[in-house]
Amino acid sequence: MSIGHALQKSADFVTKASRWLFLAGNTLMLFLMLLVFLDVVFRRMRLAVQGGMDLMETSFCILCFFSFSFAWVKGDHIRVEILLERASPRFQKGMRLVSIFLGLMIFGSLAFASFRLASASFRHGDTTMDLGLPHGLPQTAMVIGSAWFCLQFVVSLLYELGIIRKPRLYD
């Protein structure tokens, strides 16, 4: 098996796994929407829901970080299309490369920092006030989501440099 073939299979795997993380986040989104709805209804009835905010914060963190890499793959992230469309193809490619390198720096740093934060939280037994959920759970989601996003940036870099073809999403 050639190195190009191995890189392509790895890129396809990373992209498919990004999709599965996204689907896990979407499943959690349904739970989060129900939780927010119930919290609003109970607040209107002047009833306090113990631990609702803990669950919402944890769910939202997991949802966001599990969805970043697939949003990048699909092109659903924030871009200024009106400026990019008018630029030359060479400039567009340069901007994509700059975006990839900035993303690698930012999310690589975030993965490292959130790993240190999560390990310290688990080591010290940090928990939420109401339910006693470990703070390390959303922080671990930050580590997984940020690290996976870095892998997706590497896939994008390999594609931009012409080393691999664009990974197929729905095979």
Side-chain angles (χ1 to χ4, degrees):
M1 175 168 29
S2 70
I3 190 140
H5 182 69
L7 285 173
Q8 186 65 53
K9 288 196 78 70
S10 299
D12 290 338
F13 171 76
V14 167
T15 302
K16 286 177 187 176
S18 292
R19 182 170 177 255
W20 284 107
L21 283 173
F22 173 75
L23 291 174
N26 274 349
T27 303
L28 194 58
M29 183 177 61
L30 295 173
F31 172 72
L32 180 62
M33 288 173 28
L34 177 66
L35 213 57
V36 170
F37 172 76
L38 291 175
D39 187 56
V40 170
V41 168
F42 285 130
R43 268 195 266 156
R44 287 285 180 192
M45 295 178 359
R46 309 238 189 271
L47 297 171
V49 177
Q50 194 74 4
M53 193 57 75
D54 289 351
L55 288 172
M56 284 186 271
E57 289 170 353
T58 301
S59 300
F60 188 71
C61 185
I62 294 169
L63 163 71
C64 286
F65 279 92
F66 277 16
S67 300
F68 284 153
S69 62
F70 196 66
W72 173 264
V73 170
K74 293 286 289 177
D76 292 340
H77 56 287
I78 299 170
R79 294 189 290 189
V80 185
E81 292 292 332
I82 195 164
L83 294 177
L84 283 177
E85 288 174 349
R86 297 172 192 264
S88 69
R90 186 174 178 181
F91 183 76
Q92 288 179 13
K93 184 173 186 159
M95 289 305 298
R96 286 192 303 269
L97 288 171
V98 166
S99 297
I100 290 168
F101 285 117
L102 285 174
L104 276 169
M105 286 177 16
I106 291 168
F107 281 89
S109 298
L110 183 61
F112 176 73
S114 55
F115 173 77
R116 291 184 60 192
L117 184 64
S119 62
S121 289
F122 281 122
R123 199 170 41 253
H124 298 299
D126 293 341
T127 59
T128 60
M129 294 294 286
D130 292 335
L131 293 180
L133 294 173
H135 279 287
L137 291 177
Q139 294 160 355
T140 301
M142 290 170 61
V143 174
I144 293 168
S146 298
W148 207 261
F149 200 9
C150 286
L151 287 175
Q152 197 64 63
F153 279 126
V154 170
V155 169
S156 295
L157 180 63
L158 292 173
Y159 170 69
E160 286 297 328
L161 296 176
I163 297 171
I164 62 170
R165 64 170 165 64
K166 193 169 190 166
R168 293 185 295 264
L169 290 178
Y170 302 107
D171 288 346

